[in-house]
Amino acid sequence: MRLRGKLTNLSVKAISPGKHCDGDGLWLHKTDESAKWVFRFSLSGRRREMGLGSTSHVTLAEARGMAREARTLVMQGHDPIRVRRDRAAEAAQRDVTFAQLTELAFEARKGSLKDGGKAGNWMSPLAVHVLPTIGHLAAKDVNQHDIVDVLKPIWRKSASIAAKALERIGIVLQHGAALDLPVDVTARTKARALLGDQKHVAIHIPAMPWREVPDFYKTLTEVEGKSALALRFVILTGARSAEVRELHLSEINGRIWTIPAARMKSGREHRIPLSDEAIAVIEAAKAVKVGGHIFVGPSGKPLSDMSLSKVMKTRDLPYRPHGFRSSWRDWAGESAKARHEVAEAQLAHVTGSRVSRAYARTDHLEERATLMATWADFVTGKGADDVAA
């Protein structure tokens, strides 16, 4: 015999802590701190409990109505917990905004981003140029005209940023489609057609001609400071400024510097052979280290990119630290006659087709070690006489 209506509004408030049955699967679970409604049921031989809410928000009559609906679903062979979850998902699909969908897409991708996306580079184009205008819109309502409206002002003025914003909008919409949201995944393509040609001319980072590097390097050896040492290491390794500035001593093993995938632009671990001169720079820099980092500033944190650029600006040079990668690459091709794949491997550039990369099993480390030793000799003046004029 089923028990119905054992509880009353008065008893719900006065009843002692414990689990109390109202009948037909409805229970009141009460503790000293709280009280909540629970519906108990069995489906496919499995006993389940479904929370119906706190007594402070759900009355006895409302709880009985919710239990009655859930009981009907069980009698029809449906799981009321799953039905409720599906209904909530459908409601979320109707109401999710483009800003909320952007956050979901970012959370799904940040594991593959450098440093987990903490630098904000992936989100920045959207946060600055897109979300303030259309972030409040329902994701399902965002169309190509909305995208054009937010990107048109910067489409040619800030072409690179606009292109990144458009690419990320496409990723967000694709993520929405994967969540079965009724979004228009073609909106990005249609917006691109409406925005037209960017007529953008790429501006390359100024690079010092490789024949001038030895003279500049000599000036760096004549001054003190971590910035000059870091810039020397940039020149000697062909690494990016950020990779050098955030170098940790644990990454150095003998004559090999292994940069973790998380710190690489490519997202892949990269090994760099170190010349005698590069090792000498490490030894000079690590005399003062903080937490394993050796290229640190007065604050105790890794040097900023501006600190390296300042070294060049104080000498009235138009070049930038990143340009030394180009300086080295030109030297490797013009003077050292290095094989293309070896030179590109040193810079951690991806070469060849996907198939050829899949079969590649070497990073040419030994050949690169010889190449970088020759470069160090040239930079320090030891091999100047052997270099083609």
Side-chain angles (χ1 to χ4, degrees):
M1 176 179 177
R2 290 185 175 180
L3 301 174
R4 292 187 177 90
K6 291 183 63 177
L7 299 175
T8 65
N9 289 327
L10 183 60
S11 66
V12 167
K13 296 180 180 179
I15 204 165
S16 60
K19 297 181 179 180
H20 308 278
C21 180
D22 181 62
D24 283 345
L26 179 62
W27 287 72
L28 172 64
H29 289 188
K30 189 171 184 180
T31 66
D32 291 331
E33 293 79 25
S34 63
K36 64 179 180 180
W37 300 108
V38 173
F39 174 64
R40 291 183 179 179
F41 65 99
S42 294
L43 187 66
S44 301
R46 183 184 176 191
R47 188 174 179 179
R48 307 284 302 280
E49 287 190 353
M50 176 181 177
L52 302 179
S54 167
T55 57
S56 60
H57 298 102
V58 180
T59 66
L60 173 59
E62 291 171 337
R64 285 172 175 168
M66 295 165 68
R68 188 181 307 113
E69 180 184 3
R71 191 164 53 251
T72 299
L73 288 171
V74 172
M75 294 173 62
Q76 295 172 347
H78 301 299
D79 182 347
I81 297 176
R82 181 167 184 172
V83 170
R84 182 173 62 181
R85 185 173 63 243
D86 291 345
R87 288 175 179 173
E90 290 175 4
Q93 288 179 358
R94 291 192 299 270
D95 300 333
V96 65
T97 65
F98 188 75
Q100 291 170 332
L101 182 57
T102 298
E103 187 63 31
L104 291 174
F106 172 70
E107 287 296 320
R109 291 181 62 84
K110 71 178 185 180
S112 63
L113 301 175
K114 182 179 180 181
D115 199 24
K118 290 182 181 178
N121 294 335
W122 193 91
M123 185 68 81
S124 179
L126 295 174
V128 175
H129 301 287
V130 178
L131 297 183
T133 303
I134 65 173
H136 68 285
L137 296 179
K140 64 181 178 61
D141 294 333
V142 173
N143 58 41
Q144 67 270 29
H145 303 295
D146 298 316
I147 298 173
V148 169
D149 287 344
V150 296
L151 295 185
K152 193 172 183 179
I154 63 170
W155 188 244
R156 294 185 175 88
K157 182 180 179 181
S158 303
S160 177
I161 294 175
K164 289 179 181 178
L166 181 61
E167 179 246 352
R168 285 153 176 68
I169 288 173
I171 291 173
V172 172
L173 293 175
Q174 287 288 351
H175 189 77
L179 293 174
D180 291 328
L181 296 179
V183 296
D184 182 4
V185 293
T186 67
R188 172 191 174 277
T189 302
K190 290 184 285 190
R192 179 65 182 83
L194 293 175
L195 286 165
D197 187 4
Q198 287 187 309
K199 297 180 180 178
H200 173 63
V201 177
I203 300 177
H204 297 288
I205 294 175
M208 180 179 291
W210 61 266
R211 290 180 176 83
E212 298 178 17
V213 175
D215 288 339
F216 174 69
Y217 188 87
K218 187 175 185 299
T219 68
L220 296 178
T221 65
E222 297 169 348
V223 298
E224 297 181 352
K226 288 296 184 75
S227 295
L229 285 169
L231 195 52
R232 287 169 63 184
F233 203 72
V234 166
I235 293 172
L236 292 167
T237 60
R240 294 178 176 86
S241 169
E243 295 161 1
V244 170
R245 290 183 287 106
E246 297 172 10
L247 183 151
H248 194 278
L249 271 180
S250 62
E251 298 169 1
I252 304 294
N253 184 12
R255 303 182 69 86
I256 304 297
W257 171 28
T258 302
I259 310 176
R263 294 211 302 108
M264 289 296 297
K265 182 179 180 181
S266 64
R268 298 187 305 276
E269 181 182 273
H270 181 49
R271 296 192 300 171
I272 293 182
L274 300 177
S275 62
D276 290 341
E277 180 72 7
I279 291 175
V281 170
I282 289 290
E283 291 300 320
K286 76 178 186 181
V288 179
K289 60 180 184 295
V290 180
H293 291 100
I294 62 172
F295 295 119
V296 293
S299 66
K301 297 180 180 180
L303 294 168
S304 67
D305 185 50
M306 187 62 67
S307 63
L308 270 65
S309 298
K310 185 177 179 180
V311 175
M312 307 187 77
K313 288 182 178 179
T314 55
R315 291 166 169 76
D316 293 325
L317 294 171
Y319 315 118
R320 290 172 54 185
H322 190 81
F324 285 113
R325 285 168 60 83
S326 294
S327 305
W328 179 87
R329 186 62 182 87
D330 290 343
W331 169 85
E334 295 174 18
S335 178
K337 309 299 181 184
R339 292 193 298 136
H340 174 79
E341 58 269 31
V342 175
E344 293 298 288
Q346 180 64 25
L347 297 178
H349 286 165
V350 176
T351 60
S353 66
R354 179 180 295 181
V355 173
S356 64
R357 294 199 303 271
Y359 283 97
R361 293 293 184 271
T362 179
D363 61 358
H364 308 285
L365 184 64
E366 292 186 7
E367 195 169 348
R368 288 192 290 120
T370 300
L371 183 64
M372 298 313 291
T374 303
W375 167 247
D377 286 345
F378 166 67
V379 166
T380 58
K382 298 176 182 177
D385 294 338
D386 300 325
V387 177

